[in-house]
Amino acid sequence: MLCSFALEYAIRRVQVNTGGLKLNGTHQLLAYADDVNILGRSIHNLKENAEALIATNREIGLEVSANKTKNMVMSQDQNAGRIHSVRIDNSTFERVEEFKYLGTTLTNQNSNAEEIKNRLRSGNACYHSVQNLLSSRLLSKNVKIKIYRTVVLYGCEAWSLTLREERKLRVFENMVLRRIFGPRRDEVTGEWTRMHNEELNDL
């Protein structure tokens, strides 16, 4: 906890380059606990802000781990940033095409595809490990749905989906909802039938 307080102190003191990337009108040093993300419009701007943060941290006895620090150029141009590495003092920060930040997979193409694939993989593993719970009467349907949404849909409000990605999520969601709600009894014939997609969409 002391380290987190010291890092927050350093971040508040650092003077970022005013030519940096802005989100919501502010120059960005994004930090959560000891995970820091520096955004910039160019490698030069990124390096300046990283140097400023590293220098401020060093003044209070904190060091940046070069092994854990990565740099990534996010662009629809696949050749963007290929030749750039960031070197500060005696440390070179590896350029990567994707990495996890706060549990979310970020890619240099700014695509959700890999993150959705990972979420579905995790959701599928979770689904098979808790199938008995999803069909149990000991838990309410609302609790069961929260379990599913926590694993697969956390943060999905910020996703920009293609029709194909949306379809994949819908197929998986329908499978989970069928397990949660079970079959439905036809009032006319008295037969138990599997719920159709249209019925699931109306839930």
Side-chain angles (χ1 to χ4, degrees):
M1 184 174 289
L2 183 60
C3 178
S4 296
F5 286 144
L7 181 57
E8 182 177 352
Y9 172 77
I11 290 173
R12 290 180 184 275
R13 287 187 58 207
V14 70
Q15 298 295 314
V16 298
N17 185 305
T18 56
L21 184 65
K22 285 187 178 182
L23 294 177
N24 297 326
T26 61
H27 303 286
Q28 292 302 297
L29 287 176
L30 306 180
Y32 181 82
D34 61 348
D35 287 316
V36 180
N37 193 351
I38 303 175
L39 306 179
R41 292 186 181 276
S42 66
I43 292 292
H44 175 73
N45 172 247
L46 182 72
K47 185 175 179 180
E48 280 191 345
N49 287 338
E51 287 173 340
L53 182 60
I54 289 172
T56 306
N57 274 287
R58 192 168 290 148
E59 290 175 8
I60 59 175
L62 297 180
E63 291 290 336
V64 174
S65 171
N67 292 332
K68 295 181 179 179
T69 304
K70 312 296 179 185
N71 93 85
M72 184 171 71
V73 177
M74 301 181 76
S75 172
Q76 293 185 349
D77 178 5
Q78 295 187 3
N79 294 316
R82 283 192 180 278
I83 62 173
H84 294 293
S85 61
V86 176
R87 185 173 180 81
I88 298 175
D89 294 337
N90 295 321
S91 300
T92 300
F93 300 120
E94 178 189 4
R95 178 191 171 275
V96 296
E97 295 184 355
E98 67 175 55
F99 68 93
K100 273 191 176 291
Y101 180 67
L102 302 182
T104 298
T105 303
L106 305 177
T107 71
N108 62 348
Q109 299 295 306
N110 199 21
S111 168
N112 293 320
E114 194 61 33
E115 173 65 10
I116 292 171
K117 188 187 302 181
N118 290 338
R119 293 288 187 92
L120 288 174
R121 190 180 299 121
S122 298
N124 196 49
C126 178
Y127 170 79
H128 287 291
S129 67
V130 298
Q131 280 191 78
N132 292 336
L133 276 178
L134 294 179
S135 57
S136 170
R137 295 183 179 180
L138 296 176
L139 296 179
S140 70
K141 291 181 173 62
N142 286 337
V143 169
K144 296 173 185 177
I145 290 173
K146 283 181 181 178
I147 293 173
Y148 153 69
R149 287 180 174 166
T150 299
V151 176
V152 179
L153 297 181
Y154 178 77
C156 67
E157 297 86 355
W159 292 350
S160 177
L161 300 175
T162 64
L163 288 175
R164 182 178 182 183
E165 290 164 347
E166 189 174 340
R167 195 176 300 116
K168 284 182 179 180
L169 287 168
R170 175 60 68 183
V171 167
F172 182 79
E173 183 175 74
N174 286 347
M175 177 183 71
V176 174
L177 291 177
R178 285 191 180 97
R179 170 66 66 171
I180 292 174
F181 288 91
R184 176 165 290 183
R185 189 171 184 272
D186 190 299
E187 295 180 357
V188 177
T189 64
E191 295 180 351
W192 292 91
T193 60
R194 179 188 185 194
M195 295 181 69
H196 299 293
N197 291 341
E198 294 78 12
E199 295 174 298
L200 294 171
N201 292 339
D202 292 336
L203 292 175

